[in-house]
Amino acid sequence: MRRRAILGYGAAGVGAVALMLFVGWWQVDGPGGPEPIGQRPVALTAMDFRLTDHEGNAVGPETLIGRPTMAFFGFTYCPDVCPTTLSDISGWLDDLGDGADEMNVAFITVDPERDTVETMAEYVGYFHPAIRGWTGPEEQIARVADGFRATYERVPTESGDYTMNHTASVFLFAASGRFVTMIDYHEPREFAVPKIRRALEEEMEGAT
Amino acid sequence: MKKHTLTGTLAALLTLGGLSVPALAGPEDVVVVNAWSRASIGMNRPGAAYMTIRNTGDEPVTLIGLATPLAMMPKIHETKTNAEGVSSMSPAGEIAIAPGESVALEPGGLHAMLMRLQEPMTEGDTFPLTLLFDDGGEVTVEVPILGIAARGPED
């Protein structure tokens, strides 16, 4: 009698576990799961766009190939996330020391209407000298963002102005143009800097 | 008289601790520390200010707004970053601070958004920022303006 009761509990337990597994599968990988998010950026070699850097030079994906790259989307009217990220990048570059000289660092505006070449020049001048500001026509900005799988959106503010929502991660590419990884917004420096070193090391391996 | 003495002692203690001058002007239970902001380029862009607001009292306090001669539209905003890494910003509404609790206004989270600047924010200057509470209380803090690339109150 007692034994049957235990068996009964056991069967119920197995059933509960099976149900939990099923629910877990449904929610994570099954039909109830979220749409796949955050597609990986394509390689720089597969991108096609034409922009202008803050010194007026024509730039494109080929500008970044041959050296490892850190790239970030933002806009100079951004009061919080963009100056914070550019400060973070400046700090990482300081940590890398000589390694910083071997990198491309591009700050690509998502607000070309306000971020002219002159505006970008003034703005990036406040951060690490390795950081280049890139701007260009709206449709070219859309092409870069598409290649990076980055998103941006113009949002009106209550002051009658507008702000931009945008992907705030920093993208890392190897010298070959291959996408390596992303550094998330607010990722601690002890995780961010080794990721950058990884992109730098890949260049060394490719060179030998 | 006694309260003044206490305020002075607290201010001295916090200043010695390397913190910015605490504001105890309004509701004496609210202490603001580590206030800082970044310099602006001109007046067209909004500024942002950061600080820690501590409720040292026994009653909850609710922050309902901001006022400053520096900006026509100062508001508490919140930056959020979603699962796809996209960051967005929106007004934060009222902020309740429980007794003994603190609320941090820091980069990438809650911040005082200074819209319609009346003058450029110049590194080395300070400006007064008044926090308005739902009971009519006010606390004014003097916010130092650091460099554009500053990362925190010590930078």
Side-chain angles (χ1 to χ4, degrees):
Chain A
M1 196 61 202
R2 188 158 169 211
R3 185 176 168 138
R4 182 168 298 168
I6 291 168
L7 277 175
Y9 286 133
V14 169
V17 168
L19 180 67
M20 269 160 52
L21 287 173
F22 176 75
V23 168
W25 166 81
W26 183 275
Q27 288 176 346
V28 176
D29 297 318
E35 292 290 307
I37 52 163
Q39 273 186 292
R40 288 165 65 88
V42 302
L44 288 166
T45 45
M47 290 191 204
D48 178 24
F49 60 83
R50 305 254 64 83
L51 295 173
T52 307
D53 76 6
H54 70 271
E55 289 178 324
N57 304 305
V59 290
E62 73 285 351
T63 312
L64 301 177
I65 297 165
R67 302 202 308 171
T69 295
M70 241 193 285
F72 166 68
F73 291 87
F75 62 115
T76 74
Y77 279 69
C78 164
D80 183 43
V81 166
C82 305
T84 303
T85 302
L86 289 172
S87 300
D88 285 346
I89 292 174
S90 301
W92 302 336
L93 290 169
D94 288 341
D95 277 12
L96 288 169
D98 291 345
D101 301 335
E102 295 159 32
M103 291 201 90
N104 302 305
V105 189
F107 169 55
I108 306 169
T109 186
V110 293
D111 184 15
E113 186 179 321
R114 291 186 293 203
D115 288 341
T116 61
V117 169
E118 296 73 32
T119 306
M120 293 300 275
E122 180 176 21
Y123 196 73
V124 298
Y126 289 100
F127 300 94
H128 194 286
I131 301 173
R132 315 286 299 173
W134 287 17
T135 185
E138 175 63 49
E139 81 276 5
Q140 293 295 321
I141 298 290
R143 292 180 74 141
V144 193
D146 185 50
F148 278 78
R149 308 289 185 242
T151 65
Y152 61 96
E153 182 191 9
R154 185 174 164 143
V155 185
T157 59
E158 67 258 57
S159 66
D161 230 333
Y162 68 91
T163 185
M164 305 293 297
N165 293 350
H166 61 92
T167 302
S169 308
V170 175
F171 298 85
L172 281 170
F173 292 85
S176 63
R178 192 184 73 85
F179 171 69
V180 177
T181 188
M182 269 191 261
I183 303 171
D184 288 334
Y185 183 62
H186 268 186
E187 193 159 323
R189 185 180 287 213
E190 59 266 36
F191 299 146
V193 173
K195 280 185 172 178
I196 303 167
R197 287 197 201 282
R198 230 167 77 204
L200 281 164
E201 276 159 23
E202 186 155 326
E203 179 203 35
M204 308 301 241
E205 283 162 18
T208 50
Chain B
M1 195 59 215
K2 195 178 168 210
K3 192 180 130 200
H4 281 146
T5 318
L6 184 67
T7 303
T9 312
L10 250 179
L13 275 175
L14 290 169
T15 308
L16 282 173
L19 303 168
S20 59
V21 180
L24 293 160
E28 51 272 23
D29 294 336
V30 172
V31 180
V32 178
V33 292
N34 285 340
W36 64 286
S37 63
R38 294 191 181 104
S40 70
I41 302 174
M43 291 160 53
N44 292 331
R45 294 175 179 78
Y50 308 100
M51 67 205 72
T52 299
I53 307 165
R54 195 170 295 155
N55 178 5
T56 61
D58 303 324
E59 299 290 328
V61 295
T62 304
L63 179 63
I64 56 165
L66 302 171
T68 174
L70 178 70
M72 297 269 282
M73 277 191 72
K75 272 208 174 157
I76 306 272
H77 275 209
E78 184 167 23
T79 299
K80 285 181 183 153
T81 306
N82 70 11
E84 286 110 279
V86 177
S87 78
S88 59
M89 207 172 58
S90 55
E94 298 187 348
I95 296 165
I97 312 173
E101 297 292 316
S102 295
V103 164
L105 273 53
E106 55 193 5
L110 291 167
H111 55 275
M113 174 95 163
L114 309 169
M115 290 173 284
R116 295 203 201 152
L117 290 183
Q118 298 300 291
E119 55 183 283
M121 298 172 71
T122 308
E123 184 173 355
D125 284 0
T126 66
F127 66 93
L129 181 69
T130 302
L131 313 182
L132 310 170
F133 294 90
D134 64 341
D135 62 355
E138 296 182 357
V139 174
T140 299
V141 60
E142 200 63 27
V143 183
I145 302 171
L146 310 180
I148 289 179
R151 275 190 288 267
E154 278 87 38
D155 277 0

